[in-house]
Structure formats: structure tokens, C-alpha cells
Amino acid sequence: FPLFLQVTCNCFTISNGEMQDVGVGLYPSMSLLNHSCDPNCVIVFEGYQLLLHSVREIQIGEELTISYVESLMPTRERQKQLVRQYCFECDCLLCQNQEKDAEKLAGEDHAWKEVKDAVNEVRYPKSKEGILSVTGYSLSFSCEKSPLVCSSSLEINFLTFTFFLLLYYPGFHPLRAVQLMRVGKLQYSQGMFPQALETLKQAYHIMKVTHGTDHSLMKVLMEIKEECEAVMRIQ
């Protein structure tokens, strides 16, 4: 039983290029990485190969860290999961000052859980319509936050959903890059070429850090971006 617990704590959830979970695996060297709720590194997969990328400048002697838990959660929820699954409490700066909790819908449990469900719907979409329904959710949320961004148009829906991603996945986060890429693809399919190109550029800016320029998903992103640019030159 103690051995099973140790394996459970040190395994990694393997995801495909679009951050969808496909299994679990043991990576002994990467299991040595400690946790921070504001990590300086992220993990992505290329097939079953685990890749570690820094997301900001790392000082000499600074420890490499990754996040063991979902960054959407407020501090108290992150702490609960860390204690339950990994048997420790985090004392990183993000947990000490808890300033970011105010950005997570003031830490209201029902609110951030609804946001998490909405992001999961886009992370594991059943159809394009499913993603569009989430943009509608993000629109209604943003209307509550700021009535100035309210509109029933599809274009504003996409813009609002992009705002939604930037708010809850700040900085260089792999899922943020993937979701922006998806929004850009949807904008492209709807003929919103200037908006699509801008969104795809945002995705590229993040993905080159989180995934690296040689990742297969980056190559897909570049193909879509080049197609969009070609269409705009013809118009």
C-alpha cells in the first residue's frame, strides 16, 4: 500500500497535443520536480515523451517548479487538493498573499467551478456547437462583470471568450495557448479572418514558450496561420 501511494503521487497525467488526458505514466526524473502554484516551468507531451519548458527567466540556483494542481482553483481549494493527494501544504508566494483569488470570481465556490466546467467543455468538446455554447456562457459571465462588452453577435462572443481565457489562464499556460488556437480555428471557419489571425498570433506567442517551436501542435498552428494570411492577401 505505501508503494502504491508513492506511485500515485509521482505519476503524470499524459495528455495529447491539445491537452486532453489520455493516460498516466511514470517519469522518475521529472517526479523530482517540486510544486509551486506559480511555477517557472510547464510540462507538455509529444506522444508519450514528456517535455519540460521554462515559462520565465530562471535565475542561477533557482529551483525548477511545476504546478501539481489546476490553476483555476482558489487558494483554499488548491491547498485541499495538495493535502489530499500529495500530503503537503503549499507555502509559495501565491498561496501566502492570495491576491489572485480576487480574480477568480472573488473566490466564490460555485463561480469558479462553473468556469472550470466551461473550460473542460472546450477542453473535451463533443462538437463545434459545444464550443460555441461555451462562448455563450463566457459572454453571459462577462456581461455580469462588464456590461460594456455585451453583444449578441458571434464576433463579440469570440472576443469575450478570448477575454475569458486571458483572465483565468494568465501568463504562459499550455491550455491557454491551445484554447486560443481553437478559438482562432473557429473564427477562421466562420470567415472572421482578421480576428482569426490576431487570435492565432496570440496562440503562437504563448505556444512557442510552452510547447517549443518543434512541437507538432506548433506546426499545425503555423499551417492554419499561413492559410489565414494567404486568404487575407487574396481578399
Side-chain angles (χ1 to χ4, degrees):
F1 179 80
L3 179 60
F4 174 76
L5 180 63
Q6 183 175 1
V7 170
T8 301
C9 288
N10 287 282
C11 68
F12 287 87
T13 299
I14 300 172
S15 59
N16 61 18
E18 296 196 1
M19 303 300 291
Q20 297 171 335
D21 299 342
V22 297
V24 295
L26 290 174
Y27 298 85
S29 59
M30 293 299 177
S31 294
L32 298 175
L33 292 168
N34 281 327
H35 163 85
S36 172
C37 297
D38 185 23
N40 54 27
C41 295
V42 295
I43 281 176
V44 295
F45 285 87
E46 181 74 276
Y48 294 115
Q49 182 182 12
L50 185 153
L51 305 174
L52 181 71
H53 291 279
S54 63
V55 293
R56 61 172 181 261
E57 184 176 347
I58 298 175
Q59 303 300 318
I60 296 176
E62 181 181 356
E63 181 181 17
L64 302 182
T65 57
I66 59 174
S67 179
Y68 294 177
V69 297
E70 174 58 66
S71 59
L72 280 179
M73 295 187 292
T75 301
R76 64 175 178 274
E77 296 298 329
R78 295 197 309 270
Q79 293 286 10
K80 285 180 183 178
Q81 183 171 338
L82 288 169
V83 170
R84 181 173 63 252
Q85 187 170 351
Y86 300 100
C87 306
F88 72 86
E89 293 185 0
C90 181
D91 61 352
C92 71
L93 292 178
L94 196 63
C95 289
Q96 290 178 28
N97 58 41
Q98 301 184 25
E99 290 178 359
K100 294 293 184 180
D101 287 349
E103 297 177 8
K104 297 181 173 68
L105 301 184
E108 298 177 17
D109 289 344
H110 71 89
W112 74 260
K113 288 176 181 177
E114 287 178 5
V115 171
K116 183 179 179 180
D117 290 342
V119 171
N120 283 336
E121 179 63 31
V122 181
R123 196 171 180 177
Y124 305 101
K126 298 180 179 64
S127 65
K128 182 172 73 174
E129 289 73 20
I131 299 181
L132 293 176
S133 69
V134 178
T135 66
Y137 168 83
S138 68
L139 176 65
S140 64
F141 159 72
S142 294
C143 286
E144 295 174 3
K145 297 283 283 187
S146 176
L148 295 177
V149 300
C150 289
S151 170
S152 59
S153 72
L154 180 62
E155 179 178 348
I156 297 299
N157 259 358
F158 279 125
L159 292 174
T160 306
F161 185 59
T162 302
F163 163 79
F164 177 75
L165 293 177
L166 299 181
L167 177 63
Y168 288 99
Y169 284 104
F172 292 97
H173 192 290
L175 186 56
R176 184 186 184 196
V178 171
Q179 304 295 41
L180 283 170
M181 177 179 170
R182 285 182 173 174
V183 172
K185 289 168 66 176
L186 283 174
Q187 289 173 319
Y188 178 80
S189 71
Q190 295 292 322
M192 300 162 58
F193 302 118
Q195 298 90 335
L197 183 58
E198 180 59 32
T199 304
L200 293 171
K201 286 180 178 178
Q202 291 182 50
Y204 172 82
H205 175 68
I206 300 169
M207 195 175 290
K208 69 180 180 181
V209 174
T210 59
H211 290 68
T213 55
D214 294 330
H215 196 280
S216 59
L217 194 62
M218 174 65 89
K219 296 175 183 177
V220 173
L221 172 61
M222 291 303 298
E223 289 176 0
I224 301 169
K225 178 174 171 290
E226 289 169 2
E227 288 177 10
C228 187
E229 289 171 337
V231 171
M232 291 181 63
R233 283 196 296 268
I234 296 174
Q235 291 183 334

